[in-house]
Amino acid sequence: MVVKIQRPYPPVVSYTENEGMNLTLESTLQQLPLYRFQVELSQLGQEVKRTLEANPLLPGAILTDKEKFVGMISRRRFLEHLSRPYGLELFLKRPIHTLHRLAENQLQVLMFPGNTLIVDAARRSLQRSPEYLYEPIVVQLSETEYRLLDIHRLLVAQSHIHELTTQLLKENTQSQLIQTEKMASLGQMVAGVAHEIRNPVNCILGNLQFLANYSQDLLVLIEAYQKVISTSNPEIEQLKEEIEFDFLREDFPQIIGSMQVGADRLSKLVSGLRNFSHMNESNPQPADLHECIESTLLILNNRLKQGIHLIKNYGELPLISCYSGQLSQVFMNLLSNAIDALVEQPPQAGEQPWIEITTTLVEESPASLVSIRIADNGSGIPTDIQSRIFETFFTTKPVGQGTGLGLAISHQIITQKHQGQIRVRSPYLPSGKGTEFEILLPAT
């Protein structure tokens, strides 16, 4: 709705009603109903009075001098000055400049660009002194275009966004609770499956060594028979050709060796799954952090094969009293984020993507600390969001790809469950890129 009032020297009043606004968490002031009432300082006060009387919702007037912004006067301030002794005689038949000059020291104009977030504007407006709390806000849409925003409208919009935030938080919380229950059930299932797989794997590993010894003994026995039996048998020679005996004798030990390597790897993977699934540990237990890291790397091995060079600088670490399954989850989150960063935005051509894991024992007073640093040469984390990366539900990934819980949960596990610290440094490299996360844990 646009209201226009024509006067001999017309101030222009326009008000666009935006009922049923589709506000979001990122909505700005220019999405709210704004008033345009611009008054030259040379205009008479009675013109302003008539306009305010004709438009009861108009919060005030924008004051200009030769169309240049000089200030604002609210409806409440204007009527307050008119109600004073001789106010009508002083201000109605004189230019509004007289009133502005008198009230200038009493006014504090709060101005925001049109793209200011509603939540930010509401917070700052509520921080004003009580006497200015209900003064309208000036919204600057361009260098020469200004609008007025009624504080009531701003607070209603803020209340709407607050309700929307609460609803979204409730929905996200419910969704994450369901996901957490699924992950907990999955962890129990993985632990059970890993336990069931481990027994036959151990059986295979144990018998492979016997098989290797038996096969070697049989080959030795066959060679002994060949030396004793000097005359060759045509039937035996034909059979040796059919089974390619010479190749079999060389390849047999190699096959058993490759089976041994595969079974060893499967055993380590099963152990890694069992360690990673220890999420419901009731008490901290001594653990080798290098084993936790290696278990996590085994699970991520397929993703690391995407051309990412892994650098491991392991120092001498003591056993750490910790919740090993939860620390494995932290390592999983940090390493997964590093891999995502390198895959989504690879380094420049000719530069190989890499992830570096460094562990050291830091001697600090009053107690020693264990440091685990996980760094990459990706694009880095923008400075303006680094303070928010550990917030619950904060994510820069597209919808459906990120929950905003990985780093928040990691921060909670390190700081609350282990009384440690987790730090981020980005950019990490002299080139202005890269990210490094450092975890500090008590060594005792």
Side-chain angles (χ1 to χ4, degrees):
M1 177 181 67
V2 178
V3 179
K4 292 185 179 180
I5 300 176
Q6 298 297 329
R7 299 287 183 194
Y9 301 97
V12 178
V13 181
S14 67
Y15 164 56
T16 304
E17 182 65 67
N18 195 7
E19 294 293 348
M21 296 173 293
N22 296 320
L23 296 179
T24 68
L25 303 184
E26 304 299 323
S27 291
T28 60
L29 295 180
Q30 55 198 2
Q31 295 177 245
L32 298 179
L34 302 176
Y35 294 86
R36 178 166 63 90
F37 179 28
Q38 188 168 306
V39 178
E40 280 286 318
L41 292 179
S42 58
Q43 288 184 261
L44 299 179
Q46 58 189 5
E47 288 290 337
V48 179
K49 182 175 180 292
R50 279 198 293 266
T51 304
L52 291 176
E53 289 175 347
N55 297 270
L57 297 179
L58 186 61
I62 294 172
L63 306 180
T64 59
D65 184 10
K66 297 179 182 179
E67 299 185 354
K68 183 179 179 181
F69 177 84
V70 294
M72 178 275 298
I73 187 166
S74 66
R75 168 191 289 271
R76 184 171 67 89
R77 295 285 179 182
F78 181 80
L79 297 179
E80 179 184 307
H81 281 83
L82 292 186
S83 66
R84 293 179 178 180
Y86 307 106
L88 296 176
E89 292 80 359
L90 285 173
F91 304 122
L92 288 186
K93 296 182 181 181
R94 295 186 179 185
I96 196 70
H97 171 69
T98 305
L99 178 57
H100 176 252
R101 185 174 57 186
L102 180 65
E104 188 173 8
N105 294 332
Q106 303 174 7
L107 298 177
Q108 288 187 357
V109 179
L110 189 60
M111 182 187 300
F112 296 108
N115 60 357
T116 304
L117 293 177
I118 291 174
V119 291
D120 291 340
R123 183 182 68 253
R124 289 180 58 186
S125 66
L126 291 174
Q127 292 173 349
R128 294 182 293 181
S129 301
E131 62 267 28
Y132 303 111
L133 187 58
Y134 295 102
E135 292 288 296
I137 293 171
V138 177
V139 180
Q140 184 177 11
L141 302 180
S142 68
E143 290 186 3
T144 59
E145 193 175 5
Y146 299 87
R147 297 288 186 271
L148 283 178
L149 172 61
D150 183 58
I151 188 65
H152 174 73
R153 289 281 181 179
L154 176 63
L155 296 180
V156 168
Q158 164 66 4
S159 176
H160 179 78
I161 293 176
H162 177 74
E163 293 177 0
L164 177 63
T165 305
T166 303
Q167 181 63 27
L168 288 175
L169 185 61
K170 181 178 179 181
E171 292 174 359
N172 285 336
T173 302
Q174 184 66 25
S175 175
Q176 294 307 321
L177 283 174
I178 296 173
Q179 184 68 13
T180 301
E181 291 177 0
K182 289 182 179 179
M183 292 302 294
S185 300
L186 180 61
Q188 294 177 356
M189 183 183 70
V190 167
V193 171
H195 178 73
E196 293 299 323
I197 294 177
R198 191 176 188 182
N199 290 333
V201 167
N202 287 339
C203 178
I204 293 172
L205 275 172
N207 289 326
L208 272 175
Q209 187 60 49
F210 291 111
L211 181 61
N213 295 335
Y214 294 162
S215 64
Q216 190 65 33
D217 292 342
L218 289 174
L219 290 175
V220 170
L221 178 63
I222 292 173
E223 289 180 359
Y225 270 110
Q226 286 180 329
K227 291 178 180 179
V228 172
I229 302 175
S230 58
T231 58
S232 61
N233 186 296
E235 185 177 350
I236 293 177
E237 292 299 326
Q238 182 180 355
L239 181 60
K240 288 172 67 177
E241 288 185 11
E242 289 178 358
I243 66 174
E244 298 181 353
F245 178 73
D246 292 336
F247 173 76
L248 183 150
R249 181 168 51 188
E250 295 178 2
D251 196 45
F252 197 11
Q254 296 180 14
I255 290 177
I256 294 178
S258 64
M259 292 172 63
Q260 181 81 38
V261 172
D264 284 336
R265 183 169 183 79
L266 182 57
S267 178
K268 291 179 181 178
L269 182 59
V270 170
S271 298
L273 289 173
R274 291 181 71 250
N275 292 336
F276 191 79
S277 62
H278 289 167
M279 299 303 298
N280 57 348
E281 301 158 303
S282 57
N283 294 303
Q285 300 291 333
D288 185 340
L289 292 186
H290 292 154
E291 287 187 3
C292 294
I293 296 173
E294 288 298 320
S295 299
T296 306
L297 291 174
L298 274 173
I299 298 173
L300 292 172
N301 183 65
N302 194 51
R303 296 193 64 195
L304 288 168
K305 289 181 179 178
Q306 304 178 52
I308 299 175
H309 179 51
L310 182 63
I311 306 168
K312 293 187 283 188
N313 302 315
Y314 290 168
E316 293 291 333
L317 298 183
L319 296 180
I320 301 299
S321 180
C322 63
Y323 300 91
S324 61
Q326 296 185 20
L327 286 183
S328 295
Q329 183 183 9
V330 173
F331 300 147
M332 174 72 75
N333 290 334
L334 297 182
L335 288 167
S336 295
N337 285 347
I339 294 172
D340 290 341
L342 293 171
V343 171
E344 293 169 4
Q345 294 185 358
Q348 297 178 353
E351 184 180 358
Q352 184 179 16
W354 53 258
I355 294 176
E356 184 176 28
I357 306 173
T358 304
T359 63
T360 54
L361 184 63
V362 182
E363 299 291 343
E364 288 189 3
S365 178
S368 300
L369 298 174
V370 169
S371 169
I372 306 101
R373 303 199 305 273
I374 299 176
D376 64 73
N377 64 335
S379 58
I381 302 175
T383 305
D384 57 338
I385 68 169
Q386 288 186 23
S387 61
R388 301 188 60 193
I389 60 174
F390 295 117
E391 293 180 9
T392 305
F393 303 128
F394 177 78
T395 180
T396 58
K397 295 181 180 179
V399 177
Q401 296 186 23
T403 63
L405 287 176
L407 289 178
I409 292 175
S410 298
H411 185 271
Q412 182 182 18
I413 289 174
I414 296 300
T415 60
Q416 297 183 21
K417 299 289 289 186
H418 293 86
Q419 289 74 51
Q421 304 174 48
I422 181 168
R423 304 168 179 171
V424 62
R425 184 153 63 102
S426 185
Y428 165 66
L429 301 170
S431 61
K433 295 184 178 181
T435 301
E436 180 192 67
F437 282 90
E438 182 179 22
I439 297 170
L440 293 172
L441 299 173
T444 56

